[in-house]
């Protein structure tokens, strides 16, 4: 069956209620037996850099330096354990890891024959198990450079901001679909490139800047009560 449209979705705070990169980092540090306080120190440095005006793309690069020397296969296995742990923790608190409105919407696209494509600044350790859970056809994320099976700490390119829109254009060209008939979901103003690339953008959550843009452009909104938490 030929594909006539694609449903693109950001992941962190759009499809899931947390920042996968930071939650996975904490989980992985605990698995590695790192001392208490390591997570707070490392994330504090990233947040301080972001607060001083360092671009999101550079923050993204610095994050992946924290995994220098890690085996890609070990990170992938850890990512699956992280997702199971995160879901259990959220359920114990009476919440949900997956944002129900978006998960239902994506299931509707799949039922209509529209493949789901995830587009995120996160990476394979987090994205692959999330993609499996929601039946996504593909998950595009930031690609860490891997040599001899280990991460070098560098990235091929950070999938942040306008790069998400380029992914949508490339995917549509590959599948031979018209982006005017495609849908995209995003929660933050940095998702604007992805949202503006399609004919059916949907603003998710309560981000003030994206919400104002969505209302001005007449875009539909999915109100989740979740406010995007910066980096």
């Amino acid at each position: 069956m030929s594909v006539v449209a694609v449903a693109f979705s950001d992941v962190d705070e759009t499809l899931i209620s947390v920042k996968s990169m930071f939650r996975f980092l904490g989980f992985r540090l605990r698995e590695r037996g790192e001392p208490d306080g390591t997570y707070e120190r490392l994330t504090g440095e990233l947040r301080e850099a972001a607060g001083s005006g360092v671009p999101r793309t550079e923050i993204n690069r610095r994050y992946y330096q924290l995994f220098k020397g890690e085996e890609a296969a070990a990170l992938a296995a850890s990512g699956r354990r992280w997702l199971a742990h995160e879901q259990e923790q959220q359920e114990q608190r009476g919440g949900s890891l997956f944002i129900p409105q978006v998960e239902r919407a994506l299931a509707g696209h799949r039922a209509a024959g529209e493949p789901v494509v995830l587009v995120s600044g996160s990476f394979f350790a987090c994205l692959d198990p999330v993609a499996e859970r929601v039946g996504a056809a593909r998950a595009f994320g930031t690609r860490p450079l891997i040599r001899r099976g280990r991460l070098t700490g560098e990235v091929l390119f950070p999938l942040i901001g306008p790069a998400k829109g380029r992914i949508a254009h490339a995917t549509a060209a590959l599948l031979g679909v018209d982006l005017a008939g495609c849908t995209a979901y995003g929660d933050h103003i940095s998702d604007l490139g992805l949202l503006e690339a399609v004919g059916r953008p949907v603003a998710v959550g309560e981000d003030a800047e994206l919400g104002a843009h969505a209302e001005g452009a007449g875009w539909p909104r999915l109100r989740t009560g979740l406010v995007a938490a910066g980096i």
Side-chain angles (χ1 to χ4, degrees):
M1 183 175 67
S2 62
V3 174
V4 297
V6 176
F8 298 94
S9 181
D10 174 52
V11 176
D12 292 357
E13 299 179 316
T14 297
L15 175 56
I16 62 175
S17 60
V18 300
K19 289 283 191 185
S20 65
M21 294 165 60
F22 287 92
R23 297 297 274 255
F24 175 73
L25 175 62
F27 180 84
R28 185 61 180 163
L29 290 172
R30 290 192 295 273
E31 283 199 329
R32 283 166 33 182
E34 296 287 348
D36 293 341
T38 301
Y39 173 80
E40 286 76 13
R41 175 176 60 82
L42 294 176
T43 57
E45 291 171 356
L46 292 176
R47 290 192 171 95
E48 183 178 357
S52 68
V54 175
R56 288 172 68 92
T57 53
E58 177 59 25
I59 298 298
N60 194 259
R61 289 182 183 278
R62 292 185 189 185
Y63 171 86
Y64 291 104
Q65 291 172 5
L66 303 177
F67 295 100
K68 182 178 181 179
E70 289 260 28
E71 291 185 353
L75 286 172
S78 184
R80 285 173 168 76
R81 293 191 295 273
W82 162 75
L83 185 67
H85 172 79
E86 192 72 54
Q87 288 181 274
E88 181 180 357
Q89 291 294 305
Q90 294 288 334
E91 289 169 2
Q92 287 177 354
R93 299 186 191 105
S96 173
L97 175 61
F98 287 82
I99 295 175
Q101 301 97 312
V102 179
E103 189 174 22
R104 286 195 298 268
L106 296 182
H109 288 290
R110 289 180 55 234
E114 301 176 10
V116 170
V117 174
L118 306 183
V119 187
S120 171
S122 193
F123 73 130
F124 65 86
C126 305
L127 297 180
D128 287 352
V130 169
E132 290 172 7
R133 158 66 187 262
V134 300
R138 183 72 186 268
F140 291 99
T142 294
R143 292 180 59 191
L145 187 60
I146 299 171
R147 290 199 181 102
R148 299 183 180 89
R150 293 181 181 272
L151 275 66
T152 68
E154 302 169 300
V155 299
L156 294 176
F157 66 92
L159 191 43
I160 297 291
K164 292 184 176 183
R166 292 194 288 272
I167 288 291
H169 282 279
T171 300
L174 181 64
L175 295 177
V177 301
D178 185 353
L179 280 172
C182 295
T183 307
Y185 299 85
D187 73 293
H188 189 265
I189 196 65
S190 62
D191 295 320
L192 203 55
L194 174 63
L195 295 169
E196 290 184 332
V198 302
R200 300 173 180 174
V202 180
V204 177
E206 313 302 328
D207 182 69
E209 192 173 2
L210 179 60
H213 186 95
E215 289 176 6
W219 295 352
R221 299 184 65 183
L222 276 180
R223 309 301 291 259
T224 65
L226 187 66
V227 180
I231 69 165

